[in-house]
Amino acid sequence: MAAEPSLNVAELLREHLQSASPDLLRAMVQTFAETLMSAEADAVCGAEYGERSDERVNSRNGYRHRDWDTRAGTVELAIPKLRQGSYFPDWLLQHRRRAEQALVSVVATSYLLGVSTRRVEKLVEQLGIKQLSKSQVSEMARHLDAQVEAFRNRPLDAGPYTFVWVDALVIKVREHGRTINVHTLVAVGVNADGGREVLGLEVTSDEDGAGWLAFLRSLTARGLTGVRLVVSDAHRGLVSAVGAALPGASWQRCRTHYLRNLLAKVPKSAQPWVATLVRTVFDQPDTDEVKAQFARVLDTIGDKFPDAAEHLDTARDDLLAFTAFPRELWRQIWSNNPQERLNKEIRRRTDVVGIFPNRAAIIRLVGAVLAEQTDEWVEGRRYMGLDLLRKARLTPVTTDADQPETDQIVEIAA
């Protein structure tokens, strides 16, 4: 079916919305693409389709059809032909968005390697892609790998990175004929301009101290400096790795994850009561009140559940590390929730694949998602104000352990 020459986008959009077609998005993509091509072809001809004009330098000569793979699925486009010369829209040749390209590449690679063949065939159909050749997959993978590698190894020169969030995701991969779990380590930081950026990505066999230490040292080797606070869940070996790789940085244990651990220490019937009590600690207006309320909550819980109170007391310093920083930043740094939102975006893509064919495929897909997210953050507004960041970089330094009154305030250098 050929595209209509002079298309009214508003009318066509209204028709699609009124029809409530199940293929609405795909139809809209097709309509808008063909409208754009029609306008570009008219510009090349020097006049609109069917218009008599002395300025006309060329005329239409029918259409040729081409399948276009998009997020909405494969769309059949009618591309205008010209009587003299040729017309082809440059934007049809542009690469897909990195994350979409990576997803298609990983799924196709899984198919070519024989991983979960039936499942992958269904996934390809769900993506709306009719066919992909081996050469297309190879070219897509080469292009993506170069992009992701450049992103992962770029210099971290926008510091100091005052706050850093880290987390690990478990992903299944096929190795040596069997399926195993590997750990994908991700770090996000706030740079000197107050913007967020993904600092690094690594895939390790085990989430232990050695893995975390190697990961953090790779970040410092690329330029990570000025870290005052690392926010995360209580990953095994992470705290010691932070001390070794990021001297001067403290650790904030995610309040959300910790509360889940604490509630496991009390009967289910008492969990809402304990959760409400603990949350009151974080509702206080200043540092002194936070610490005073923590002590009151500890005593109250200890009267009924001494084991839970002991667990809470042990975590005191890690849970309250955020109080050393400006009050306006507390909500952003007392939990790993910002990282959890990023993890959901990663999971949305990795769950489509299920079992990855190799570790390179994990880095390709997750790296593409993280690169896109960083681009979006760069284009968005600041995550933290510059004045607040400057205050956060001011830290008390005790010159003599026996003379605390000689404390000075200095700024951590980049």
Side-chain angles (χ1 to χ4, degrees), residues 152-156 185 187 199-204 210-225 241 245-246:
R152 291 179 65 216
N153 294 316
R154 76 192 189 282
L156 299 178
L185 313 183
L199 303 177
L201 161 70
E202 190 57 77
V203 177
T204 64
W212 282 114
L213 182 59
F215 179 53
L216 294 177
R217 282 181 172 169
S218 72
L219 299 181
T220 58
R222 289 168 44 214
L224 178 65
T225 58
L246 301 172

Side-chain angles (χ1 to χ4, degrees), residues 198-259:
V198 175
L199 303 177
L201 161 70
E202 190 57 77
V203 177
T204 64
S205 297
D206 194 10
E207 184 193 341
D208 56 8
W212 282 114
L213 182 59
F215 179 53
L216 294 177
R217 282 181 172 169
S218 72
L219 299 181
T220 58
R222 289 168 44 214
L224 178 65
T225 58
V227 179
R228 290 292 319 282
L229 185 69
V230 176
V231 186
S232 76
D233 190 11
H235 298 289
R236 181 163 53 93
L238 174 60
V239 178
S240 58
V242 168
L246 301 172
S250 55
W251 177 55
Q252 169 66 45
R253 185 169 184 174
C254 174
R255 53 168 281 191
T256 305
H257 286 90
Y258 174 76
L259 185 56

Side-chain angles (χ1 to χ4, degrees), residues 42-173:
D42 287 345
V44 171
C45 293
E48 293 186 4
Y49 181 86
E51 177 188 7
R52 294 182 180 274
S53 172
D54 294 336
E55 297 180 357
R56 178 179 292 280
V57 295
N58 206 338
S59 58
R60 302 279 194 95
N61 187 30
Y63 299 88
R64 66 179 181 276
H65 295 277
R66 171 177 172 143
D67 286 347
W68 183 34
D69 293 334
T70 73
R71 287 178 178 273
T74 300
V75 176
E76 183 179 338
L77 294 180
I79 303 174
K81 295 169 61 178
L82 305 180
R83 292 195 179 277
Q84 299 177 8
S86 62
Y87 162 76
F88 192 86
D90 293 338
W91 43 269
L92 271 184
L93 297 174
Q94 293 178 356
H95 291 284
R96 309 167 186 270
R97 291 186 67 201
R98 277 180 299 222
E100 178 188 5
Q101 189 180 12
L103 178 57
V104 174
S105 172
V106 170
V107 170
T109 301
S110 300
Y111 179 81
L112 295 177
L113 294 180
V115 178
S116 304
T117 304
R118 293 180 182 176
R119 174 175 168 78
V120 172
E121 286 176 347
K122 293 180 180 178
L123 293 175
V124 172
E125 292 176 2
Q126 291 173 8
L127 290 171
I129 307 300
K130 292 183 179 178
Q131 58 183 2
L132 279 172
S133 67
K134 291 186 178 181
S135 61
Q136 285 177 309
V137 173
S138 298
E139 174 60 29
M140 202 181 295
R142 279 196 299 269
H143 176 71
L144 274 166
D145 288 344
Q147 283 188 320
V148 171
E149 197 63 18
F151 173 72
R152 291 179 65 216
N153 294 316
R154 76 192 189 282
L156 299 178
D157 53 7
Y161 295 90
T162 309
F163 300 105
V164 172
W165 292 260
V166 296
D167 207 353
L169 294 86
V170 178
I171 296 178
K172 293 184 181 298
V173 65

Side-chain angles (χ1 to χ4, degrees), residues 325-339:
F325 300 94
R327 175 69 176 83
E328 296 87 346
L329 297 176
W330 285 2
R331 287 187 177 276
Q332 293 166 291
I333 63 174
W334 63 26
S335 77
N336 220 25
N337 288 349
Q339 189 81 354

Side-chain angles (χ1 to χ4, degrees), residues 314-327:
T314 302
R316 182 197 304 253
D317 292 341
D318 301 332
L319 285 175
L320 303 186
F322 69 90
T323 59
F325 300 94
R327 175 69 176 83

Side-chain angles (χ1 to χ4, degrees), residues 12-13 32 37 62 87 90 149 231 251 276 278-279 303 336 346 350 370 387 390 399:
L12 287 169
L13 175 59
F32 295 153
M37 289 188 294
Y87 162 76
D90 293 338
E149 197 63 18
V231 186
W251 177 55
T276 300
V278 173
R279 291 190 184 106
D303 291 339
N336 220 25
I346 296 173
T350 58
L370 296 178
D387 289 343
R390 185 185 63 81
T399 58

